[in-house]
Amino acid sequence: MKMYLLSAGAGLLVGVVYSLLHVRSPAPPLVALVGLLGILVGEQIVPVGQKLVAGLSPAVAWAEAKCGAHLFGALPGRHSDASPPPTDGAGS
């Protein structure tokens, strides 16, 4: 339940910021996409910051926090070494 309350609070905060920027809901697609990019990048600040405080260089902190994989996902042409997730058997 705590996660839902925090999510609602974050949504209210974003709504206030959008209002201050005179962006009406629903936001234009480009504004919404830039906002989502900001959220995605913002998620990486804490793990990278922790590694930087631990004394690692920015490049090593980025790599150890696996930010590239989180931000960009599996890029086309790359083959994942991980096995596919197990299925629950539904539909078999």
Side-chain angles (χ1 to χ4, degrees):
M1 182 71 172
K2 180 180 173 184
M3 178 177 59
Y4 297 111
L5 292 174
L6 290 173
S7 179
L12 286 171
L13 179 62
V14 169
V16 169
V17 170
Y18 272 20
S19 177
L20 292 172
L21 295 173
H22 302 291
V23 174
R24 296 292 167 228
S25 185
L30 185 58
V31 172
L33 286 173
V34 170
L36 289 172
L37 177 63
I39 291 170
L40 187 61
V41 171
E43 289 176 347
Q44 307 310 308
I45 292 173
V46 173
V48 171
Q50 288 173 336
K51 305 251 184 239
L52 289 172
V53 169
L56 297 175
S57 71
V60 173
W62 174 271
E64 285 198 9
K66 298 183 177 125
C67 294
H70 184 79
L71 285 174
F72 304 116
L75 297 176
R78 289 199 136 180
H79 300 288
S80 175
D81 293 333
S83 58
T87 59
D88 61 358
S92 329

